[in-house]
Amino acid sequence: MQPPKPESRTHIQTKNLSVYYKNTLALNNISVEIPDRAITAIIGPSGCGKSTLLRSFNRMIDTFDETTVRGSVLVDGEDIFSSKVDVTRIRKKMGLLSQRPSPLPMSIFENVAYGPKIHGMRNRQQLEVLVQKNLQIAGLWDEVKDRLNESAASLSIGQQQRLCLARGLAVEPEIILADEPTSALDPISTRHIEGKLHELKDRYTIVIVTHLLRQARRLADYVVFMYLGELIECGPAAQVFEHPKEQRTQDHIKGVIS
């Protein structure tokens, strides 16, 4: 299947991407384009390759033993699996939200300042401005401004996820990758995160893996449907949800396969 081209500029593109974990085929010949400054939702049943596809975008699959990658992943036209690529530079382009919040074992302030410090920022005043700015973007500043020196572990799990969002934004990425970012959150915290992602899409390319079709319907501009490691269908969200072309897509949306 030749996937349709997104209407806006392509920011991430895979070409004939296959990924093996040891001898297990996790992704099979995936070619897809992810549009810039929009929310793309990767949907599909559990174990279909959604998270593997997401991890290929920032080369986090490198952290798994005995992984083989064939094909290419292009970010801004650059093949990020080329031997000449600086992986740290590629990952700096991307903020990551995991299924469960993963604050660093340090203060709220230092969590947000951590990335900029790694990349050379040392001026305290600049760091303070940057920390406040990104906590405000993440919708957390008013809740923590008087306790910045407290441990990040003192925050609720929903606050921790917004802190992780602020930490990811602090390195000034171009792309936000979110792997089921609300799966561990309560409904109120889920609405906070969804609202922030919706606000941020005008400035960032956002890719979210979600097993919740309702969430994908609320958020997505573009949808990628995966099944058993294969790309079944992709396109504008309204088209995929309201007029799916493939029977397996129809079955998933109806809850026949999950």
Side-chain angles (χ1 to χ4, degrees), residues 86-251:
D86 179 353
V87 178
T88 301
R89 176 177 59 81
I90 292 298
R91 288 180 180 159
K92 186 177 183 293
K93 290 186 175 187
M94 308 191 192
L96 178 64
L97 279 180
S98 302
Q99 291 185 24
R100 293 192 64 85
S102 53
L104 300 171
M106 52 185 66
S107 72
I108 296 167
F109 181 95
E110 291 299 332
N111 261 268
V112 183
Y114 181 80
K117 283 185 174 181
I118 289 292
H119 294 289
M121 184 179 289
R122 292 289 182 269
N123 183 281
R124 179 72 184 188
Q125 187 173 8
Q126 288 180 330
L127 286 169
E128 288 175 351
V129 171
L130 182 144
V131 168
Q132 178 174 344
K133 170 188 171 183
N134 287 288
L135 286 172
Q136 286 173 329
I137 292 173
L140 193 56
W141 173 252
D142 288 339
E143 297 168 45
V144 302
K145 62 184 178 183
D146 297 323
R147 47 190 294 209
L148 295 176
N149 294 322
E150 292 183 18
S151 168
S154 67
L155 298 175
S156 70
I157 192 167
Q159 289 174 323
Q160 288 180 17
Q161 190 68 304
R162 282 183 283 152
L163 177 66
C164 291
L165 176 59
R167 187 180 71 203
L169 295 175
V171 295
E172 299 183 341
E174 300 173 5
I175 298 164
I176 299 172
L177 303 178
D179 190 356
E180 298 192 18
T182 64
S183 63
L185 304 185
D186 61 83
I188 293 175
S189 297
T190 294
R191 287 198 294 273
H192 273 299
I193 292 295
E194 288 184 357
K196 288 303 165 186
L197 292 177
H198 194 268
E199 290 174 14
L200 292 169
K201 74 175 184 178
D202 290 338
R203 285 177 278 171
Y204 301 91
T205 297
I206 299 174
V207 186
I208 179 171
V209 165
T210 180
H211 64 281
L212 300 173
L213 288 177
R214 286 174 297 177
Q215 183 172 69
R217 287 179 182 272
R218 288 193 297 266
L219 288 177
D221 302 295
Y222 196 77
V223 171
V224 175
F225 173 55
M226 305 281 298
Y227 187 69
L228 296 179
E230 296 186 351
L231 172 65
I232 304 303
E233 185 167 352
C234 59
Q239 172 197 306
V240 173
F241 284 128
E242 304 303 329
H243 306 287
K245 298 177 181 178
E246 302 294 326
Q247 185 62 48
R248 282 175 291 186
T249 312
Q250 295 179 36
D251 289 344

Side-chain angles (χ1 to χ4, degrees), residues 7-21:
E7 295 179 1
S8 59
R9 180 182 81 90
T10 296
H11 201 162
I12 305 170
Q13 181 179 15
T14 69
K15 293 183 177 180
N16 306 118
L17 177 69
S18 295
V19 175
Y20 295 81
Y21 295 128

Side-chain angles (χ1 to χ4, degrees), residues 58-60 62 80-82 84-93:
N58 64 354
R59 286 191 53 171
M60 287 303 293
D62 291 5
I80 66 170
F81 282 93
S82 166
K84 300 177 182 178
V85 162
D86 179 353
V87 178
T88 301
R89 176 177 59 81
I90 292 298
R91 288 180 180 159
K92 186 177 183 293
K93 290 186 175 187

